[in-house]
Amino acid sequence: MGSCFYRVLLLAGFCAPIFCMWASNPRNRESPQPPSTKGNPAFQVSPSNTKFAFFLYQRLAQESPGQNVLFSPVSISTSLAMLSLGARSATKTQILRSLGFNLTHVPESTIHLGFEQLVRSLNVCHKDRDLRTGSVLFIRKELQLQATFLDRAKRLYGTKVFSEDFSNTVTAQARINSYVEKETRGKVVDVIQELDSQTAMVLVNHIFFKANWTQPFSTANTNKSFPFLLSKGGTVRVPMMHQTELFAFGVDRELGCIVLQMDYRGDAVAFFVLPGKGRGKMWQLEKSLSARRLRKWSLSLQKRWIKVFIPKFSISASYNLETILPKMGIRDAFNANADFSGITKTHFLQVSKAAHKAVLDVSEEGTEAAAATTTKLIVRSRDNPSSIISFNQPFLILLLEKSTKSILFLGKVENPQKM
């Protein structure tokens, strides 16, 4: 290998804008059943992606107590899986194991086939939603990349490749930021604040979601100033949407939390999880998140007439994952032990930065929700014709794409007014 040392800037799924539009025709109230996932390779990577999603969430929540949390698990997983194509030795092993894969039982080829099908499935055109993901490489002009890496990145992940002059950092930064802004419909701007002159390659994975509720809120019913209780004490006034409808709903007795499901038109579903009142209830819920708990929730919810109050809000979150991922086992990729000889044999590469930025808009036009559990859910007594659920305190959100069982977005709303 040559003596030159360059850095890779990994913008791992930093674009996660959600902009939910009001369904003009609220017919077809029943949510469609998800298509069969039997034999779908994308479904085979779903359990590992879900495990990684909750593991990363718990890390991010620990790093930012009392703050909003928001990220796109599927976007970050896809970025790291694509990066592993060019990794070798311990660098590759650490990435794939941290993504939740048991390499003694799941061949690497199966993992990439699963992600290939996942990317294709998520990008299938649907009349009721706009869900688009994509990957792009901005590569230093003089960098000689391995043909095998480029071919697999394009074939398996649909990656676009652009040559870039990183010696002119201002121009390169502007070009990448412009690309991101365009792909996210102007929702994510200036994601790169600074480029290192030693940057060799910028890996970008982006995701954009836009859909309609099957049961939209009416703007006429929105309370313009409603008290929302903060976890650290005090309140903020927020616009509070509400409606009475037939929703899937349940109570997790073990955790004392309420789980509410709301459907989007177009094979996507949102979960809202409201922890019980009392000190430590949110943390108890967060540390209990798992793929098994989420699956139990999904299977146990039952439909009831519910009067629901959900705040109207816009939040965003940005993370420097190079400080988080090493704590999750991806160590060598970010230090001098990095082995990305599958990308280029003429230069030493290591990841200098892994940036992630997510943006979430929730209004009468739509919203998201999060949850998971190992215990069975119960449904409140049928003798109450209309239970009332008010999300007027911190809650979890999760957005799930049904056909691939993929978590598109996961987060926590601590303060609906804080961007």
Side-chain angles (χ1 to χ4, degrees):
M1 297 179 71
S3 59
C4 292
F5 190 92
Y6 286 130
R7 296 178 178 177
V8 178
L9 176 62
L10 173 64
L11 300 182
F14 59 92
C15 313
I18 305 175
F19 188 74
C20 312
M21 301 302 294
W22 190 2
S24 58
N25 185 359
R27 291 180 296 179
N28 191 22
R29 295 286 186 175
E30 295 296 322
S31 60
Q33 292 297 314
S36 173
T37 54
K38 187 175 181 180
N40 186 348
F43 185 60
Q44 297 178 25
V45 303
S46 176
S48 295
N49 284 347
T50 301
K51 179 180 178 181
F52 172 78
F54 290 135
F55 190 22
L56 178 56
Y57 171 86
Q58 288 159 354
R59 283 285 182 179
L60 294 176
Q62 289 176 13
E63 296 281 332
S64 54
Q67 298 181 29
N68 294 331
V69 176
L70 180 66
F71 66 103
S72 172
V74 70
S75 187
I76 296 174
S77 294
T78 302
S79 289
L80 292 172
M82 182 179 71
L83 184 66
S84 75
L85 286 173
R88 297 292 181 265
S89 60
T91 305
K92 177 192 291 289
T93 302
Q94 289 174 11
I95 293 174
L96 295 178
R97 283 182 177 173
S98 294
L99 285 176
F101 295 103
N102 186 331
L103 299 179
T104 60
H105 296 97
V106 183
E108 183 187 351
S109 59
T110 299
I111 295 173
H112 292 300
L113 179 61
F115 274 101
E116 176 189 19
Q117 293 299 318
L118 174 62
V119 170
R120 290 185 178 181
S121 297
L122 294 180
N123 284 286
V124 169
C125 292
H126 200 294
K127 66 177 182 178
D128 291 321
R129 76 174 188 203
D130 185 359
L131 174 59
R132 291 174 293 140
T133 69
S135 298
V136 60
L137 297 177
F138 292 88
I139 301 169
R140 196 179 190 95
K141 288 194 304 183
E142 62 269 28
L143 198 64
Q144 297 179 351
L145 299 187
Q146 297 277 55
T148 301
F149 170 75
L150 280 178
D151 175 70
R152 296 181 73 196
K154 292 177 182 178
R155 176 168 47 86
L156 297 172
Y157 293 86
T159 305
K160 297 179 181 179
V161 181
F162 299 107
S163 178
E164 190 58 65
D165 181 8
F166 286 110
S167 64
N168 188 334
T169 57
V170 174
T171 301
Q173 176 177 320
R175 184 181 180 191
I176 296 172
N177 282 339
S178 176
Y179 178 90
V180 171
E181 184 173 353
K182 179 181 178 181
E183 291 297 312
T184 61
R185 304 280 183 88
K187 300 301 294 182
V188 177
V189 298
D190 296 332
V191 67
I192 297 181
Q193 300 296 322
E194 183 179 0
L195 272 182
D196 192 306
S197 61
Q198 293 300 306
T199 299
M201 182 168 61
V202 174
L203 289 73
V204 176
N205 184 276
H206 53 82
I207 181 168
F208 180 88
F209 176 80
K210 178 180 178 179
N212 301 327
W213 288 123
T214 59
Q215 296 146 333
F217 294 85
S218 169
T219 55
N221 293 333
T222 299
N223 186 321
K224 302 302 181 183
S225 180
F226 196 94
F228 185 93
L229 309 176
L230 302 178
S231 60
K232 294 184 177 181
T235 63
V236 293
R237 311 294 294 193
V238 301
M240 184 68 77
M241 310 175 294
H242 73 88
Q243 65 168 305
T244 301
E245 256 299 349
L246 194 63
F247 293 120
F249 157 76
V251 177
D252 185 333
R253 278 181 167 171
E254 179 187 358
L255 296 176
C257 66
I258 293 172
V259 183
L260 174 72
Q261 175 182 320
M262 291 184 63
D263 295 336
Y264 291 104
R265 299 173 67 183
D267 205 29
V269 61
F271 288 92
F272 296 78
V273 185
L274 187 68
K277 295 184 183 298
R279 186 178 180 85
K281 290 295 185 179
M282 174 62 84
W283 172 233
Q284 181 186 6
L285 171 60
E286 290 175 325
K287 70 180 182 181
S288 299
L289 292 174
S290 69
R292 184 181 177 188
R293 188 170 290 270
L294 177 59
R295 185 168 59 253
K296 289 287 187 178
W297 280 349
S298 299
L299 295 175
S300 302
L301 298 179
Q302 297 182 29
K303 286 200 170 182
R304 277 193 58 84
W305 284 97
I306 304 292
K307 185 171 185 178
V308 61
F309 292 79
I310 297 175
K312 176 180 179 178
F313 63 91
S314 295
I315 63 172
S316 65
S318 299
Y319 303 102
N320 295 320
L321 296 179
E322 70 274 11
T323 65
I324 302 294
L325 295 177
K327 299 175 184 178
M328 299 175 61
I330 305 178
R331 298 179 297 275
D332 288 1
F334 298 95
N335 61 38
N337 294 323
D339 184 351
F340 289 108
S341 55
I343 297 178
T344 176
K345 288 186 177 296
T346 58
H347 300 85
F348 291 107
L349 297 177
Q350 78 175 54
V351 180
S352 62
K353 191 170 186 61
H356 182 92
K357 183 171 184 178
V359 178
L360 170 61
D361 294 333
V362 172
S363 66
E364 291 84 1
E365 294 95 37
T367 225
E368 282 68 39
T373 194
T374 55
T375 58
K376 203 167 186 178
L377 295 178
I378 61 168
V379 177
R380 294 187 188 276
S381 172
R382 290 180 177 272
D383 58 10
N384 185 355
S386 180
S387 297
I388 300 175
I389 304 175
S390 181
F391 289 83
N392 63 342
Q393 66 181 64
F395 58 91
L396 302 186
I397 63 174
L398 180 148
L399 194 152
L400 183 73
E401 202 279 332
K402 289 185 184 177
S403 67
T404 61
K405 305 297 184 184
S406 296
I407 300 177
L408 301 178
F409 304 99
L410 176 60
K412 174 172 61 173
V413 179
E414 281 274 356
N415 185 342
Q417 283 195 338
K418 189 174 182 180
M419 277 294 290

